[in-house]
Every structure is written in structure tokens, then in C-alpha cells.
């Protein structure tokens, strides 16, 4: 009963700050056309039919770098306490088309590069605050929308439409920054081939879990 009361009080204290947050991405999602065949029965005979369907090619960055600054705060109600935080995220990532697209069953001429999406995962978007997330490619700001997150954040997050046609000749790079609130803990779900995550915080006794430990 005490444990239940404690959890209820902590949830009430942290209400409006967003829950324990997971961040993921960015990833670049490119629609492409593929041909499928299926066998159906027509007039008592087996007939094989072909049709064109849309699928998605998801590209993880070759390299990604994220810099996080956390501002934790203790909040109390009666004898109960919760730790909430504000987080400022800055980062960049570089994308390139795989040299072996055929291995994925994708032909370059079937890619709808002008309809690509740059997707970011944030498990509780209610925590976004301050200025809207800022994302750019080649110095050009992108218009963002909520939704279309990543599996690691149960589909929650935000995204932008991108014309990724330049990928045909060279990698493209994105820069981003956004602020959010959360409580309890912060988790990163890395997607890049090489991910560097720098975290700064005034919290005196941090603890770490997961497949990677900090170097300093």
C-alpha cells in the first residue's frame, strides 16, 4: 500500500513534465516501389497476379553525434519526492545510400527520394517545451510535424518531409536541436553506425544502465 501511494504521489508531482524519456534517431525513411506476386483462385483455377506496392527503406546515419545538457530538480509533496529534469539536445547526423542497395532488394530507380522523411523518436512528446524543435539540412530549416516516431519510442516523436535526391551523388547531413522535460531517467536508443552521446548534468550521483558505459 505504501509503495502504491508513493508511486501515485510521484506521478502526481511529475504530471505535466513528461514521463521517463527515450530518444532515438534520427533516421531517414525513403518510400520505394516493389513488385509482389500472389496466387489467387478464380473460377476454380489458381491464378498468379502481380501488383506494385509501396514500401519503406529506413536508413540509419553513418555517423551521429548528440550533446545533452540536463537540469534536474527535486520536487516534493508531503513526504514524497520525484526527480524531474529539463533536457536540451543538440546534434548532427550524416546519411548515405548503401552501395549494395540490391542486397536489400531495392533498385535505385524505384526510390521516391523527393518524398523521404527524417524521423526523430521521443517517447513522450508532451514534454517538448520552449521553441519548437529546430532541424535543418544543408543549412535549410525543415518544417516539422508530430508523429511518425520510431519503434524504440512506440511510434512517438516528430518528423519532416525531405527531398533526399542529393543522396544519389553524395551524403547529406542534418543538424538538430530540441528541448524537452521528463522525469526519472533518460534513455538513448542509438541507430547510427557510429554514435557519440555527450551528457552534462549537475546531478551528483548518476547511475547508468544498458549495453554501453560512459568513458568519463
Amino acid at each position: 500500500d505504501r509503495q502504491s501511494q508513493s508511486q501515485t504521489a510521484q506521478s502526481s508531482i511529475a504530471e505535466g513534465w513528461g514521463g521517463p524519456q527515450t530518444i532515438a534517431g534520427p533516421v531517414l525513411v525513403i518510400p520505394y516501389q516493389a513488385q509482389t506476386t500472389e496466387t489467387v483462385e478464380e473460377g476454380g483455377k489458381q491464378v498468379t497476379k502481380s501488383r506494385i506496392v509501396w514500401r519503406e527503406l529506413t536508413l540509419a546515419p553513418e555517423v551521429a553525434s548528440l550533446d545533452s545538457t540536463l537540469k534536474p530538480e527535486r520536487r516534493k509533496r508531503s513526504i514524497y519526492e520525484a526527480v524531474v529534469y529539463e533536457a536540451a539536445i543538440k546534434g548532427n547526423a550524416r546519411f548515405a545510400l548503401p552501395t549494395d542497395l540490391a542486397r536489400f532488394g531495392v533498385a535505385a530507380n524505384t526510390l521516391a527520394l523527393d518524398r523521404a522523411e527524417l524521423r526523430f523518436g521521443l517517447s513522450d512528446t508532451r514534454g517538448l517545451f520552449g521553441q519548437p524543435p529546430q532541424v535543418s539540412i544543408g543549412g535549410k530549416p525543415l518544417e516539422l510535424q508530430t508523429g511518425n516516431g520510431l519503434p524504440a519510442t512506440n511510434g512517438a516523436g516528430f518528423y519532416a518531409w525531405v527531398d533526399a535526391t542529393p543522396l544519389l551523388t553524395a551524403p547529406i547531413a542534418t543538424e538538430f536541436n530540441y528541448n524537452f522535460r521528463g522525469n526519472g531517467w533518460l534513455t538513448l536508443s542509438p541507430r547510427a553506425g557510429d554514435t557519440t552521446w555527450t551528457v552534462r548534468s549537475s546531478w551528483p550521483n548518476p547511475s547508468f544502465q544498458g549495453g554501453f558505459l560512459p568513458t568519463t
Side-chain angles (χ1 to χ4, degrees):
D1 184 59
R2 290 195 189 98
Q3 183 178 6
S4 177
Q5 288 181 351
S6 175
Q7 291 174 344
T8 299
Q10 289 174 346
S11 297
S12 176
I13 295 170
E15 187 176 3
W17 278 77
Q21 293 282 21
T22 296
I23 56 177
V27 299
L28 189 63
V29 179
I30 305 172
Y32 70 94
Q33 289 185 323
Q35 181 174 295
T36 64
T37 59
E38 59 181 352
T39 301
V40 298
E41 185 173 329
E42 291 185 356
K45 296 181 179 181
Q46 298 292 316
V47 179
T48 299
K49 292 187 174 183
S50 298
R51 63 190 180 97
I52 301 298
V53 297
W54 283 100
R55 293 178 177 168
E56 292 181 340
L57 174 66
T58 300
L59 297 183
E62 293 182 315
V63 179
S65 176
L66 294 92
D67 188 293
S68 308
T69 301
L70 305 183
K71 295 181 179 179
E73 178 184 341
R74 296 179 186 269
R75 292 202 161 191
K76 294 184 177 182
R77 179 170 297 169
S78 183
I79 62 172
Y80 302 106
E81 179 181 88
V83 178
V84 298
Y85 61 82
E86 294 181 356
I89 307 293
K90 293 183 179 180
N92 57 76
R94 186 180 72 234
F95 296 90
L97 278 178
T99 57
D100 55 348
L101 266 178
R103 183 169 65 88
F104 299 92
V106 180
N109 61 358
T110 66
L111 294 170
L113 290 162
D114 59 335
R115 294 171 50 197
E117 293 181 10
L118 189 62
R119 297 180 182 177
F120 295 79
L122 180 65
S123 57
D124 191 347
T125 53
R126 296 175 303 171
L128 288 169
F129 79 102
Q131 67 176 8
Q134 307 293 306
V135 181
S136 64
I137 288 183
K140 181 180 178 181
L142 302 178
E143 185 175 344
L144 298 173
Q145 304 178 61
T146 56
N148 285 3
L150 301 178
T153 58
N154 295 319
F158 52 92
Y159 72 101
W161 294 101
V162 176
D163 184 354
T165 303
L167 272 180
L168 292 173
T169 56
I172 60 175
T174 178
E175 296 183 347
F176 51 88
N177 66 79
Y178 55 97
N179 302 320
F180 61 87
R181 294 182 173 122
N183 78 83
W185 64 82
L186 173 63
T187 302
L188 171 68
S189 177
R191 294 296 302 267
D194 184 1
T195 299
T196 301
W197 187 25
T198 301
V199 181
R200 299 179 180 85
S201 175
S202 59
W203 191 251
N205 301 301
S207 61
F208 303 93
Q209 298 179 13
F212 304 92
L213 293 176
T215 56
T216 57

